[in-house]
Amino acid sequence: MPTTEAALPLVQPSPPSPARTATDTRRAALALLLRAARPEGPAVQAALLWLLLCGGLEALGPVLGKALIDRHLLPHAGTLSEMAALLAGAWVSGCAASLLRYAQLVRLAGVAMRSVQRIRVGVYGHVLRLPMAFFDRAITGQLVSRVTNDTEAVKTLYVQLLFVMLDSGVMLASMLVMMAWLNWRLMLIVALLVPAVAAIVWLYQRLSAPAVTRSRALRSDINAQTGETIAGMALVQASGAGRRLQARFAATNAAHYAARRDELRANAWLLRPALDFLNVAILAAVIGVYGWGMGQGQGLGLGALEVGVLYAFVSYIARVVEPLIQITMQFSQLQQAMVAAARVNALLDEAQAPPAQGAGRITAGAIQVRHLDFSYASGPQVLHGLNLDIAPGQFIGIVGATGSGKSTLLSLLLRYYPAPAAALQIDGLALAQIAEDDFRAGVGLVPQEPFVLAASVRENIAMGRPISDAQIEAAAQAAHADEFIRQLEQGYATPLGEGGARLSVGQKQLIAIARALAGQPRILLLDEATSHIDSQTEGLVQQTLAALHGRVTVLAIAHRLSTVRSADAIVVLHHGRIAELGPHEALMAKGGGLYQRLVQLQQLVGEDDDG
């Protein structure tokens, strides 16, 4: 039986990381991109090859037009067949470039969608494996936003980076090469666009990146506030908190509007208008230099410029400016996608719960607690030197005032938080030495707030486990839930709606008990399982516990003390220490004991009729 002794230290999780810089965001986004694209190597390589071919074919068009003008149209020379060959070459190259562009777009879109699908499944699976300590500080709406909205934004990152950015870069390089071949001096004038656009992009990033990051974070806050309000709508309306919550939501929405406005201002000044101005300026410069060179070409080293060269350069300027415009116009979406990808990557970087180190099995269900101390991260000590020996098949009740450490003890037994190896053991094995699948099958939980899927009764009891219908019905019978389930219109196939809206609180709890029993556990943990149910349902729970006695080890945290009156022993916790221990009759026989005062208090308020 338990005593209280000295503490063992507990390693605390590290504090949250500081806010990301713009460089961190880019690195995190690139890390996520590479992580998702790794399986798509052949498809990306094929698309990049087509991209190079497409750029070369599109750069060929103005050169063919230049030859047609200078060799045939202006001098009125050449045969009809030569002119037809040039025209056919321009047409074929244009058609081939269009087909290749279509093929690469389809290929890259497929890469993007498969990658997003892979990322979303991976993020969801990663969240399922995160330790409970993470969810102590996580906000549900923000997590949902990362799994849905942010992963979808990664598709934009693929499309913009792999298609628009690379396509525009290849097009720009091929055009500059062809212009240099025609006249490298005029090419240098057009090449001035590149540093000018780079300066605009740099300035845009400096001005818009903070606004984009703020707007993305505030959008998650909007999702979180909306989710919280909908989940607690009954209490919101009952307490008249609607106006206060609306004011809080309006403030968050106004901050999001301000961030988006700052971003749009940067777009309006630095994207299309600035590039249109550069386009006109470069075009005017090329035409001006061409006109000057016609009269003084030798002095400028330009030589005798042909009209076809001017045509080619005017065509190339339009084709060079358009990719640059595409790059900058898409930069806003790219910025948002990078922020979203960085947020997803940050979630994937969260450390998962450490896997079980051994392959042990739960055979009997004996529980040993030795000198157990525990404190949450950066918090005061919650448990102080707990010692318990629980034999297989025993029924142990755990009671105490709020904050005494009852639920913490159950959380440690469930491996939600790490405990020293020697402090908690099952069948002589440290919890980490028991294989994960065997541990989850051997330890069942009935929580205070029953979790019900928007699925059928059968699916709610099975919970994705390979359990036969016979096992499901046997578990429901053991939990005294079979009778009301069969009265539903479709029996075990009846859909229960979101949160089990079709069931009473007591019926939900019986479903939760059936779910726990369906796995045939050796240990059953009940966390305030009777605190919100009526006396009739509590009687059914007590019958279930009585039937399990001697076969399953039961630890029941109870606010309603009548639930644990028949327990083999009742542990009374007080400020994280074991204050009293013994069966109901022995504890009641102690004059002025803590358990006796708890019973008397419940009798006084009418919550418990036992003495």
Side-chain angles (χ1 to χ4, degrees):
M1 286 298 176
T3 59
T4 56
E5 297 186 21
L8 290 174
L10 178 71
V11 177
Q12 303 294 352
S14 59
S17 59
R20 290 180 179 270
T21 64
T23 302
D24 293 334
T25 298
R26 288 193 294 270
R27 289 175 178 172
L30 182 60
L32 182 68
L33 189 67
L34 294 175
R35 179 185 298 185
R38 195 169 291 116
E40 300 289 345
V44 173
Q45 292 172 7
L48 292 179
L49 177 61
W50 295 345
L51 192 69
L52 293 172
L53 292 174
C54 180
L57 289 171
E58 291 199 1
L60 187 62
V63 173
L64 296 176
K66 180 259 182 192
L68 181 66
I69 292 172
D70 290 337
R71 298 180 184 178
H72 301 289
L73 295 183
L74 290 181
H76 302 289
T79 64
L80 185 61
S81 60
E82 292 175 342
M83 296 176 62
L86 288 173
L87 290 173
W91 183 83
V92 169
S93 63
C95 290
S98 298
L99 290 174
L100 286 173
R101 186 173 297 279
Y102 166 78
Q104 72 174 7
L105 178 59
V106 171
R107 178 64 63 93
L108 289 177
V111 169
M113 289 187 289
R114 287 192 299 272
S115 299
V116 169
Q117 179 187 25
R118 193 178 300 113
I119 290 173
R120 184 170 291 153
V121 172
V123 171
Y124 182 77
H126 183 79
V127 169
L128 293 177
R129 293 185 292 273
L130 289 174
M132 288 302 297
F134 170 81
F135 297 98
D136 291 340
R137 54 185 169 85
I139 299 175
T140 302
Q142 292 181 351
L143 284 178
V144 172
S145 180
R146 292 193 185 190
V147 175
T148 55
N149 297 342
D150 287 348
T151 52
E152 185 66 25
V154 174
K155 182 175 70 175
T156 303
L157 184 62
Y158 269 95
V159 173
Q160 303 306 328
L161 186 61
L162 291 179
F163 180 69
V164 176
M165 295 293 187
L166 290 178
D167 178 64
S168 299
V170 170
M171 288 291 297
L172 180 61
S174 60
M175 301 294 177
L176 289 175
V177 168
M178 296 305 294
M179 283 188 285
W181 179 67
L182 290 174
N183 189 293
W184 65 270
R185 293 178 177 84
L186 286 180
M187 182 275 293
L188 291 179
I189 298 175
V190 179
L192 292 175
L193 277 171
V194 178
V197 170
I200 291 174
V201 169
W202 177 84
L203 183 59
Y204 172 79
Q205 184 180 11
R206 290 291 301 271
L207 295 177
S208 69
V212 171
T213 303
R214 285 199 311 274
S215 67
R216 203 81 199 182
L218 289 167
R219 184 185 300 178
S220 293
D221 291 343
I222 289 173
N223 292 339
Q225 292 180 21
T226 303
E228 288 175 347
T229 304
I230 293 174
M233 186 59 69
L235 180 61
V236 169
Q237 295 189 1
S239 61
R243 292 184 179 179
R244 294 189 297 275
L245 292 176
Q246 185 175 4
R248 184 184 69 163
F249 182 86
T252 305
N253 198 40
H256 179 262
Y257 166 78
R260 290 287 292 156
R261 183 185 57 195
D262 292 343
E263 179 189 349
L264 290 174
R265 283 176 176 171
N267 293 355
W269 282 104
L270 295 173
L271 294 185
R272 188 84 196 203
L275 289 174
D276 285 341
F277 172 77
L278 286 176
N279 181 25
V280 173
I282 292 296
L283 182 61
V286 168
I287 294 176
V289 169
Y290 173 82
W292 183 269
M294 291 294 292
Q296 306 183 33
Q298 298 299 325
L300 292 174
L302 293 173
L305 293 176
E306 300 170 321
V307 176
V309 172
L310 179 61
Y311 160 79
F313 268 82
V314 171
S315 299
Y316 279 132
I317 289 173
R319 299 189 185 196
V320 166
V321 170
E322 188 58 34
L324 294 175
I325 289 176
Q326 287 296 323
I327 291 175
T328 52
M329 288 300 293
Q330 302 296 334
F331 203 83
S332 173
Q333 295 184 30
L334 177 62
Q335 192 87 334
Q336 295 185 38
M338 289 178 65
V339 171
R343 285 160 51 86
V344 173
N345 198 63
L347 179 59
L348 290 173
D349 285 341
E350 289 284 348
Q352 296 183 358
Q357 299 299 317
R361 298 177 60 85
I362 298 176
T363 55
I367 300 174
Q368 299 86 34
V369 183
R370 293 287 182 270
H371 317 310
L372 175 60
D373 282 1
F374 181 79
S375 59
Y376 293 99
S378 304
Q381 193 165 323
V382 179
L383 298 179
H384 304 266
L386 298 192
N387 284 270
L388 276 172
D389 278 301
I390 302 173
Q394 275 193 316
F395 174 18
I396 302 298
I398 303 176
V399 301
T402 300
S404 60
K406 305 184 300 295
S407 294
T408 297
L409 177 58
L410 254 64
S411 294
L412 292 173
L413 286 170
L414 287 163
R415 294 204 307 206
Y416 289 164
Y417 303 92
L424 274 179
Q425 296 184 355
I426 295 178
D427 292 336
L429 297 173
L431 300 189
Q433 293 178 313
I434 303 173
E436 179 68 19
D437 291 343
D438 190 78
F439 182 86
R440 296 306 170 192
V443 180
L445 172 67
V446 182
Q448 180 179 7
E449 299 291 342
F451 173 72
V452 180
L453 296 168
S456 68
V457 176
R458 181 176 289 105
E459 291 171 302
N460 267 281
I461 295 177
M463 206 66 180
R465 296 169 292 187
I467 299 175
S468 66
D469 289 349
Q471 288 176 292
I472 291 173
E473 293 177 11
Q477 291 169 3
H480 299 279
D482 180 72
E483 182 178 354
F484 85 80
I485 292 174
R486 294 191 181 279
Q487 291 176 356
L488 299 173
E489 62 268 24
Q490 299 180 50
Y492 283 85
T494 304
L496 298 181
E498 184 177 2
R502 305 189 56 176
L503 302 179
S504 68
V505 175
Q507 289 172 333
K508 293 179 189 179
Q509 198 62 278
L510 294 179
I511 291 288
I513 295 174
R515 176 190 297 150
L517 296 180
Q520 299 178 343
R522 303 302 304 164
I523 298 172
L524 181 63
L525 307 178
L526 291 87
D527 187 4
E528 303 275 15
T530 60
S531 59
H532 298 317
I533 60 178
D534 56 74
S535 298
Q536 181 179 1
T537 306
E538 184 190 8
L540 297 177
V541 173
Q542 290 174 336
Q543 292 179 36
T544 300
L545 297 180
L548 295 174
H549 189 264
R551 298 188 296 111
V552 177
T553 304
V554 176
L555 269 72
I557 292 177
H559 172 72
R560 299 171 71 166
L561 302 181
S562 57
T563 304
V564 297
R565 180 180 180 183
S566 60
D568 296 310
I570 299 173
V571 179
V572 183
L573 291 179
H574 184 63
H575 296 309
R577 303 178 188 275
I578 297 178
E580 295 175 3
L581 175 64
H584 172 79
E585 292 78 9
L587 295 179
M588 288 299 296
K590 291 183 178 181
L594 182 59
Y595 179 77
Q596 186 184 61
R597 292 200 301 271
L598 290 173
V599 172
Q600 291 172 348
L601 179 61
Q602 286 199 358
Q603 288 177 339
L604 183 64
V605 298
E607 292 186 5
D608 200 307
D609 297 329
D610 299 317

